[in-house]
Amino acid sequence: MVDCHAMRESMTLLLTESLDRSRREQTHEHIESCAACTAEWNAYKETWSLLGALPELDVPARVRDQFLAEFATPENVVAIRRRSSARWLAQAAAVVVLVGGSYYAGNRTHRV
Ligand SMILES: [Zn+2]
């Protein structure tokens, strides 16, 4: 069985289509059968589409590192590096901001 925590990790990768086929299907199946993950997934997708409408922005290295530290397994890091899209990282980091909340708040005064 898969657990919800693992599914949350898969969601960010699902958004970027970085999952292999079997894992993608497994994640979708879990989302459909789990109310908590359905709600989480809807929030991810909503955020993602909002961010997709924004212009590209630079991702501070610390935010990117934070993202990798929190969400990436060694296997996933390989996938992320292969794609190496700044826009992708911006979106992914912003999802982390949404989820992590307080992390970005501390840096905000510098960036605005
Ligand atoms: Zn779940």
PDB file of all heavy atoms in Angstrom, residues 3-32:
ATOM      1  N   ASP A   3       1.288   5.284   1.076  1.00  0.00           N
ATOM      2  CA  ASP A   3       0.790   6.157   2.128  1.00  0.00           C
ATOM      3  C   ASP A   3       0.662   7.583   1.609  1.00  0.00           C
ATOM      4  O   ASP A   3       1.214   7.947   0.572  1.00  0.00           O
ATOM      5  CB  ASP A   3       1.703   6.099   3.356  1.00  0.00           C
ATOM      6  CG  ASP A   3       3.087   6.605   3.051  1.00  0.00           C
ATOM      7  OD1 ASP A   3       3.231   7.822   2.869  1.00  0.00           O
ATOM      8  OD2 ASP A   3       4.020   5.788   2.981  1.00  0.00           O
ATOM      9  N   CYS A   4      -0.098   8.378   2.362  1.00  0.00           N
ATOM     10  CA  CYS A   4      -0.413   9.725   1.902  1.00  0.00           C
ATOM     11  C   CYS A   4       0.834  10.600   1.785  1.00  0.00           C
ATOM     12  O   CYS A   4       0.927  11.429   0.892  1.00  0.00           O
ATOM     13  CB  CYS A   4      -1.414  10.374   2.859  1.00  0.00           C
ATOM     14  SG  CYS A   4      -3.042   9.598   2.760  1.00  0.00           S
ATOM     15  N   HIS A   5       1.761  10.423   2.679  1.00  0.00           N
ATOM     16  CA  HIS A   5       2.961  11.251   2.634  1.00  0.00           C
ATOM     17  C   HIS A   5       3.703  11.051   1.306  1.00  0.00           C
ATOM     18  O   HIS A   5       4.130  12.010   0.661  1.00  0.00           O
ATOM     19  CB  HIS A   5       3.877  10.922   3.806  1.00  0.00           C
ATOM     20  CG  HIS A   5       5.122  11.753   3.824  1.00  0.00           C
ATOM     21  ND1 HIS A   5       5.111  13.101   4.127  1.00  0.00           N
ATOM     22  CD2 HIS A   5       6.405  11.447   3.527  1.00  0.00           C
ATOM     23  CE1 HIS A   5       6.346  13.566   4.037  1.00  0.00           C
ATOM     24  NE2 HIS A   5       7.147  12.598   3.670  1.00  0.00           N
ATOM     25  N   ALA A   6       3.825   9.814   0.915  1.00  0.00           N
ATOM     26  CA  ALA A   6       4.485   9.526  -0.359  1.00  0.00           C
ATOM     27  C   ALA A   6       3.711  10.137  -1.518  1.00  0.00           C
ATOM     28  O   ALA A   6       4.284  10.620  -2.496  1.00  0.00           O
ATOM     29  CB  ALA A   6       4.637   8.019  -0.544  1.00  0.00           C
ATOM     30  N   MET A   7       2.384  10.133  -1.389  1.00  0.00           N
ATOM     31  CA  MET A   7       1.548  10.704  -2.449  1.00  0.00           C
ATOM     32  C   MET A   7       1.769  12.199  -2.576  1.00  0.00           C
ATOM     33  O   MET A   7       1.798  12.752  -3.671  1.00  0.00           O
ATOM     34  CB  MET A   7       0.073  10.434  -2.144  1.00  0.00           C
ATOM     35  CG  MET A   7      -0.334   9.004  -2.340  1.00  0.00           C
ATOM     36  SD  MET A   7       0.003   8.405  -4.018  1.00  0.00           S
ATOM     37  CE  MET A   7       1.342   7.280  -3.688  1.00  0.00           C
ATOM     38  N   ARG A   8       1.926  12.859  -1.440  1.00  0.00           N
ATOM     39  CA  ARG A   8       2.165  14.314  -1.491  1.00  0.00           C
ATOM     40  C   ARG A   8       3.452  14.608  -2.244  1.00  0.00           C
ATOM     41  O   ARG A   8       3.547  15.570  -2.998  1.00  0.00           O
ATOM     42  CB  ARG A   8       2.248  14.919  -0.077  1.00  0.00           C
ATOM     43  CG  ARG A   8       1.041  14.617   0.797  1.00  0.00           C
ATOM     44  CD  ARG A   8      -0.231  15.256   0.277  1.00  0.00           C
ATOM     45  NE  ARG A   8      -1.413  14.565   0.793  1.00  0.00           N
ATOM     46  CZ  ARG A   8      -1.992  14.830   1.962  1.00  0.00           C
ATOM     47  NH1 ARG A   8      -1.531  15.782   2.727  1.00  0.00           N
ATOM     48  NH2 ARG A   8      -3.042  14.144   2.350  1.00  0.00           N
ATOM     49  N   GLU A   9       4.440  13.796  -2.022  1.00  0.00           N
ATOM     50  CA  GLU A   9       5.697  13.978  -2.758  1.00  0.00           C
ATOM     51  C   GLU A   9       5.478  13.761  -4.250  1.00  0.00           C
ATOM     52  O   GLU A   9       6.022  14.471  -5.082  1.00  0.00           O
ATOM     53  CB  GLU A   9       6.746  12.995  -2.248  1.00  0.00           C
ATOM     54  CG  GLU A   9       7.255  13.334  -0.872  1.00  0.00           C
ATOM     55  CD  GLU A   9       8.376  12.396  -0.447  1.00  0.00           C
ATOM     56  OE1 GLU A   9       8.710  11.475  -1.206  1.00  0.00           O
ATOM     57  OE2 GLU A   9       8.901  12.607   0.646  1.00  0.00           O
ATOM     58  N   SER A  10       4.669  12.780  -4.546  1.00  0.00           N
ATOM     59  CA  SER A  10       4.448  12.463  -5.961  1.00  0.00           C
ATOM     60  C   SER A  10       3.665  13.561  -6.664  1.00  0.00           C
ATOM     61  O   SER A  10       3.807  13.758  -7.870  1.00  0.00           O
ATOM     62  CB  SER A  10       3.679  11.146  -6.089  1.00  0.00           C
ATOM     63  OG  SER A  10       4.466  10.083  -5.612  1.00  0.00           O
ATOM     64  N   MET A  11       2.847  14.291  -5.912  1.00  0.00           N
ATOM     65  CA  MET A  11       1.999  15.309  -6.540  1.00  0.00           C
ATOM     66  C   MET A  11       2.809  16.381  -7.257  1.00  0.00           C
ATOM     67  O   MET A  11       2.459  16.787  -8.361  1.00  0.00           O
ATOM     68  CB  MET A  11       1.110  15.968  -5.486  1.00  0.00           C
ATOM     69  CG  MET A  11      -0.073  15.105  -5.104  1.00  0.00           C
ATOM     70  SD  MET A  11      -1.031  15.921  -3.812  1.00  0.00           S
ATOM     71  CE  MET A  11      -1.997  14.522  -3.244  1.00  0.00           C
ATOM     72  N   THR A  12       3.872  16.845  -6.629  1.00  0.00           N
ATOM     73  CA  THR A  12       4.677  17.881  -7.278  1.00  0.00           C
ATOM     74  C   THR A  12       5.278  17.350  -8.571  1.00  0.00           C
ATOM     75  O   THR A  12       5.389  18.071  -9.557  1.00  0.00           O
ATOM     76  CB  THR A  12       5.801  18.375  -6.347  1.00  0.00           C
ATOM     77  OG1 THR A  12       6.524  17.245  -5.871  1.00  0.00           O
ATOM     78  CG2 THR A  12       5.237  19.158  -5.188  1.00  0.00           C
ATOM     79  N   LEU A  13       5.646  16.093  -8.533  1.00  0.00           N
ATOM     80  CA  LEU A  13       6.227  15.494  -9.736  1.00  0.00           C
ATOM     81  C   LEU A  13       5.155  15.195 -10.773  1.00  0.00           C
ATOM     82  O   LEU A  13       5.398  15.262 -11.973  1.00  0.00           O
ATOM     83  CB  LEU A  13       6.983  14.222  -9.355  1.00  0.00           C
ATOM     84  CG  LEU A  13       8.144  14.466  -8.409  1.00  0.00           C
ATOM     85  CD1 LEU A  13       8.665  13.154  -7.853  1.00  0.00           C
ATOM     86  CD2 LEU A  13       9.271  15.211  -9.108  1.00  0.00           C
ATOM     87  N   LEU A  14       3.978  14.893 -10.276  1.00  0.00           N
ATOM     88  CA  LEU A  14       2.865  14.637 -11.175  1.00  0.00           C
ATOM     89  C   LEU A  14       2.534  15.902 -11.975  1.00  0.00           C
ATOM     90  O   LEU A  14       2.258  15.853 -13.174  1.00  0.00           O
ATOM     91  CB  LEU A  14       1.658  14.199 -10.339  1.00  0.00           C
ATOM     92  CG  LEU A  14       0.495  13.530 -11.058  1.00  0.00           C
ATOM     93  CD1 LEU A  14       0.939  12.254 -11.756  1.00  0.00           C
ATOM     94  CD2 LEU A  14      -0.593  13.182 -10.052  1.00  0.00           C
ATOM     95  N   LEU A  15       2.581  17.028 -11.294  1.00  0.00           N
ATOM     96  CA  LEU A  15       2.300  18.302 -11.957  1.00  0.00           C
ATOM     97  C   LEU A  15       3.263  18.567 -13.098  1.00  0.00           C
ATOM     98  O   LEU A  15       2.908  19.174 -14.095  1.00  0.00           O
ATOM     99  CB  LEU A  15       2.400  19.447 -10.945  1.00  0.00           C
ATOM    100  CG  LEU A  15       1.223  19.606  -9.976  1.00  0.00           C
ATOM    101  CD1 LEU A  15       1.601  20.583  -8.879  1.00  0.00           C
ATOM    102  CD2 LEU A  15      -0.011  20.098 -10.699  1.00  0.00           C
ATOM    103  N   THR A  16       4.477  18.152 -12.922  1.00  0.00           N
ATOM    104  CA  THR A  16       5.501  18.430 -13.931  1.00  0.00           C
ATOM    105  C   THR A  16       5.682  17.251 -14.879  1.00  0.00           C
ATOM    106  O   THR A  16       6.579  17.246 -15.696  1.00  0.00           O
ATOM    107  CB  THR A  16       6.846  18.722 -13.250  1.00  0.00           C
ATOM    108  OG1 THR A  16       7.232  17.565 -12.502  1.00  0.00           O
ATOM    109  CG2 THR A  16       6.723  19.899 -12.312  1.00  0.00           C
ATOM    110  N   GLU A  17       4.839  16.243 -14.698  1.00  0.00           N
ATOM    111  CA  GLU A  17       4.907  15.059 -15.546  1.00  0.00           C
ATOM    112  C   GLU A  17       6.276  14.408 -15.477  1.00  0.00           C
ATOM    113  O   GLU A  17       6.841  13.976 -16.477  1.00  0.00           O
ATOM    114  CB  GLU A  17       4.524  15.422 -16.990  1.00  0.00           C
ATOM    115  CG  GLU A  17       3.083  15.887 -17.052  1.00  0.00           C
ATOM    116  CD  GLU A  17       2.716  16.460 -18.419  1.00  0.00           C
ATOM    117  OE1 GLU A  17       3.551  16.412 -19.329  1.00  0.00           O
ATOM    118  OE2 GLU A  17       1.595  16.940 -18.561  1.00  0.00           O
ATOM    119  N   SER A  18       6.795  14.384 -14.248  1.00  0.00           N
ATOM    120  CA  SER A  18       8.120  13.796 -14.037  1.00  0.00           C
ATOM    121  C   SER A  18       8.051  12.359 -13.532  1.00  0.00           C
ATOM    122  O   SER A  18       9.083  11.740 -13.300  1.00  0.00           O
ATOM    123  CB  SER A  18       8.901  14.633 -13.017  1.00  0.00           C
ATOM    124  OG  SER A  18       9.070  15.947 -13.494  1.00  0.00           O
ATOM    125  N   LEU A  19       6.857  11.863 -13.324  1.00  0.00           N
ATOM    126  CA  LEU A  19       6.733  10.503 -12.813  1.00  0.00           C
ATOM    127  C   LEU A  19       6.714   9.497 -13.956  1.00  0.00           C
ATOM    128  O   LEU A  19       6.217   9.794 -15.037  1.00  0.00           O
ATOM    129  CB  LEU A  19       5.429  10.358 -12.025  1.00  0.00           C
ATOM    130  CG  LEU A  19       5.336  11.080 -10.689  1.00  0.00           C
ATOM    131  CD1 LEU A  19       3.943  10.911 -10.112  1.00  0.00           C
ATOM    132  CD2 LEU A  19       6.365  10.558  -9.715  1.00  0.00           C
ATOM    133  N   ASP A  20       7.233   8.332 -13.658  1.00  0.00           N
ATOM    134  CA  ASP A  20       7.082   7.292 -14.668  1.00  0.00           C
ATOM    135  C   ASP A  20       5.632   6.808 -14.661  1.00  0.00           C
ATOM    136  O   ASP A  20       4.855   7.114 -13.763  1.00  0.00           O
ATOM    137  CB  ASP A  20       8.075   6.144 -14.462  1.00  0.00           C
ATOM    138  CG  ASP A  20       7.855   5.432 -13.141  1.00  0.00           C
ATOM    139  OD1 ASP A  20       6.699   5.163 -12.785  1.00  0.00           O
ATOM    140  OD2 ASP A  20       8.864   5.154 -12.469  1.00  0.00           O
ATOM    141  N   ARG A  21       5.314   6.029 -15.663  1.00  0.00           N
ATOM    142  CA  ARG A  21       3.914   5.730 -15.893  1.00  0.00           C
ATOM    143  C   ARG A  21       3.250   4.985 -14.734  1.00  0.00           C
ATOM    144  O   ARG A  21       2.146   5.324 -14.309  1.00  0.00           O
ATOM    145  CB  ARG A  21       3.787   4.894 -17.164  1.00  0.00           C
ATOM    146  CG  ARG A  21       2.364   4.823 -17.602  1.00  0.00           C
ATOM    147  CD  ARG A  21       2.231   4.108 -18.926  1.00  0.00           C
ATOM    148  NE  ARG A  21       0.824   3.841 -19.180  1.00  0.00           N
ATOM    149  CZ  ARG A  21       0.380   3.128 -20.196  1.00  0.00           C
ATOM    150  NH1 ARG A  21       1.240   2.612 -21.036  1.00  0.00           N
ATOM    151  NH2 ARG A  21      -0.891   2.932 -20.361  1.00  0.00           N
ATOM    152  N   SER A  22       3.903   3.980 -14.207  1.00  0.00           N
ATOM    153  CA  SER A  22       3.287   3.176 -13.148  1.00  0.00           C
ATOM    154  C   SER A  22       3.087   4.009 -11.882  1.00  0.00           C
ATOM    155  O   SER A  22       2.062   3.916 -11.209  1.00  0.00           O
ATOM    156  CB  SER A  22       4.148   1.943 -12.850  1.00  0.00           C
ATOM    157  OG  SER A  22       5.404   2.331 -12.345  1.00  0.00           O
ATOM    158  N   ARG A  23       4.031   4.867 -11.588  1.00  0.00           N
ATOM    159  CA  ARG A  23       3.917   5.678 -10.388  1.00  0.00           C
ATOM    160  C   ARG A  23       2.838   6.745 -10.568  1.00  0.00           C
ATOM    161  O   ARG A  23       2.124   7.109  -9.642  1.00  0.00           O
ATOM    162  CB  ARG A  23       5.269   6.327 -10.080  1.00  0.00           C
ATOM    163  CG  ARG A  23       5.378   6.684  -8.613  1.00  0.00           C
ATOM    164  CD  ARG A  23       6.793   6.946  -8.196  1.00  0.00           C
ATOM    165  NE  ARG A  23       6.786   7.863  -7.069  1.00  0.00           N
ATOM    166  CZ  ARG A  23       7.796   8.643  -6.728  1.00  0.00           C
ATOM    167  NH1 ARG A  23       8.906   8.612  -7.428  1.00  0.00           N
ATOM    168  NH2 ARG A  23       7.713   9.449  -5.705  1.00  0.00           N
ATOM    169  N   ARG A  24       2.742   7.254 -11.770  1.00  0.00           N
ATOM    170  CA  ARG A  24       1.720   8.242 -12.067  1.00  0.00           C
ATOM    171  C   ARG A  24       0.330   7.631 -11.877  1.00  0.00           C
ATOM    172  O   ARG A  24      -0.544   8.232 -11.257  1.00  0.00           O
ATOM    173  CB  ARG A  24       1.900   8.715 -13.507  1.00  0.00           C
ATOM    174  CG  ARG A  24       1.076   9.941 -13.852  1.00  0.00           C
ATOM    175  CD  ARG A  24       1.440  10.454 -15.218  1.00  0.00           C
ATOM    176  NE  ARG A  24       1.078   9.522 -16.259  1.00  0.00           N
ATOM    177  CZ  ARG A  24       1.809   9.236 -17.342  1.00  0.00           C
ATOM    178  NH1 ARG A  24       2.974   9.813 -17.515  1.00  0.00           N
ATOM    179  NH2 ARG A  24       1.401   8.376 -18.234  1.00  0.00           N
ATOM    180  N   GLU A  25       0.147   6.451 -12.391  1.00  0.00           N
ATOM    181  CA  GLU A  25      -1.149   5.785 -12.253  1.00  0.00           C
ATOM    182  C   GLU A  25      -1.455   5.467 -10.788  1.00  0.00           C
ATOM    183  O   GLU A  25      -2.574   5.623 -10.320  1.00  0.00           O
ATOM    184  CB  GLU A  25      -1.175   4.511 -13.099  1.00  0.00           C
ATOM    185  CG  GLU A  25      -1.275   4.842 -14.577  1.00  0.00           C
ATOM    186  CD  GLU A  25      -1.222   3.591 -15.456  1.00  0.00           C
ATOM    187  OE1 GLU A  25      -1.111   2.482 -14.910  1.00  0.00           O
ATOM    188  OE2 GLU A  25      -1.292   3.755 -16.674  1.00  0.00           O
ATOM    189  N   GLN A  26      -0.441   5.025 -10.103  1.00  0.00           N
ATOM    190  CA  GLN A  26      -0.594   4.711  -8.682  1.00  0.00           C
ATOM    191  C   GLN A  26      -1.016   5.962  -7.909  1.00  0.00           C
ATOM    192  O   GLN A  26      -1.909   5.910  -7.047  1.00  0.00           O
ATOM    193  CB  GLN A  26       0.750   4.198  -8.153  1.00  0.00           C
ATOM    194  CG  GLN A  26       0.703   3.694  -6.723  1.00  0.00           C
ATOM    195  CD  GLN A  26       2.097   3.305  -6.234  1.00  0.00           C
ATOM    196  OE1 GLN A  26       3.074   4.001  -6.527  1.00  0.00           O
ATOM    197  NE2 GLN A  26       2.198   2.218  -5.515  1.00  0.00           N
ATOM    198  N   THR A  27      -0.397   7.082  -8.259  1.00  0.00           N
ATOM    199  CA  THR A  27      -0.728   8.321  -7.572  1.00  0.00           C
ATOM    200  C   THR A  27      -2.157   8.752  -7.867  1.00  0.00           C
ATOM    201  O   THR A  27      -2.923   9.104  -6.964  1.00  0.00           O
ATOM    202  CB  THR A  27       0.252   9.432  -7.991  1.00  0.00           C
ATOM    203  OG1 THR A  27       1.581   8.989  -7.756  1.00  0.00           O
ATOM    204  CG2 THR A  27      -0.009  10.711  -7.204  1.00  0.00           C
ATOM    205  N   HIS A  28      -2.538   8.679  -9.128  1.00  0.00           N
ATOM    206  CA  HIS A  28      -3.909   9.044  -9.490  1.00  0.00           C
ATOM    207  C   HIS A  28      -4.928   8.148  -8.797  1.00  0.00           C
ATOM    208  O   HIS A  28      -5.955   8.616  -8.311  1.00  0.00           O
ATOM    209  CB  HIS A  28      -4.098   8.951 -11.013  1.00  0.00           C
ATOM    210  CG  HIS A  28      -3.667  10.199 -11.725  1.00  0.00           C
ATOM    211  ND1 HIS A  28      -4.177  11.449 -11.432  1.00  0.00           N
ATOM    212  CD2 HIS A  28      -2.762  10.389 -12.716  1.00  0.00           C
ATOM    213  CE1 HIS A  28      -3.608  12.329 -12.222  1.00  0.00           C
ATOM    214  NE2 HIS A  28      -2.742  11.737 -12.998  1.00  0.00           N
ATOM    215  N   GLU A  29      -4.631   6.883  -8.750  1.00  0.00           N
ATOM    216  CA  GLU A  29      -5.548   5.947  -8.095  1.00  0.00           C
ATOM    217  C   GLU A  29      -5.699   6.283  -6.620  1.00  0.00           C
ATOM    218  O   GLU A  29      -6.795   6.243  -6.064  1.00  0.00           O
ATOM    219  CB  GLU A  29      -5.044   4.507  -8.255  1.00  0.00           C
ATOM    220  CG  GLU A  29      -5.407   3.923  -9.603  1.00  0.00           C
ATOM    221  CD  GLU A  29      -4.797   2.547  -9.797  1.00  0.00           C
ATOM    222  OE1 GLU A  29      -4.449   1.901  -8.784  1.00  0.00           O
ATOM    223  OE2 GLU A  29      -4.658   2.136 -10.956  1.00  0.00           O
ATOM    224  N   HIS A  30      -4.602   6.614  -5.999  1.00  0.00           N
ATOM    225  CA  HIS A  30      -4.682   6.948  -4.581  1.00  0.00           C
ATOM    226  C   HIS A  30      -5.484   8.231  -4.377  1.00  0.00           C
ATOM    227  O   HIS A  30      -6.327   8.309  -3.487  1.00  0.00           O
ATOM    228  CB  HIS A  30      -3.288   7.099  -3.978  1.00  0.00           C
ATOM    229  CG  HIS A  30      -3.351   7.510  -2.532  1.00  0.00           C
ATOM    230  ND1 HIS A  30      -3.557   6.602  -1.518  1.00  0.00           N
ATOM    231  CD2 HIS A  30      -3.315   8.733  -1.946  1.00  0.00           C
ATOM    232  CE1 HIS A  30      -3.621   7.262  -0.364  1.00  0.00           C
ATOM    233  NE2 HIS A  30      -3.475   8.554  -0.595  1.00  0.00           N
ATOM    234  N   ILE A  31      -5.212   9.224  -5.212  1.00  0.00           N
ATOM    235  CA  ILE A  31      -5.920  10.498  -5.079  1.00  0.00           C
ATOM    236  C   ILE A  31      -7.428  10.273  -5.187  1.00  0.00           C
ATOM    237  O   ILE A  31      -8.212  10.834  -4.415  1.00  0.00           O
ATOM    238  CB  ILE A  31      -5.429  11.505  -6.144  1.00  0.00           C
ATOM    239  CG1 ILE A  31      -4.006  11.963  -5.802  1.00  0.00           C
ATOM    240  CG2 ILE A  31      -6.367  12.716  -6.215  1.00  0.00           C
ATOM    241  CD1 ILE A  31      -3.328  12.738  -6.912  1.00  0.00           C
ATOM    242  N   GLU A  32      -7.809   9.429  -6.129  1.00  0.00           N
ATOM    243  CA  GLU A  32      -9.235   9.180  -6.327  1.00  0.00           C
ATOM    244  C   GLU A  32      -9.874   8.452  -5.144  1.00  0.00           C
ATOM    245  O   GLU A  32     -11.067   8.586  -4.901  1.00  0.00           O
ATOM    246  CB  GLU A  32      -9.438   8.353  -7.610  1.00  0.00           C
ATOM    247  CG  GLU A  32      -9.312   9.212  -8.853  1.00  0.00           C
ATOM    248  CD  GLU A  32      -9.282   8.361 -10.124  1.00  0.00           C
ATOM    249  OE1 GLU A  32      -9.690   7.190 -10.057  1.00  0.00           O
ATOM    250  OE2 GLU A  32      -8.853   8.889 -11.155  1.00  0.00           O
TER     251      GLU A  32
END
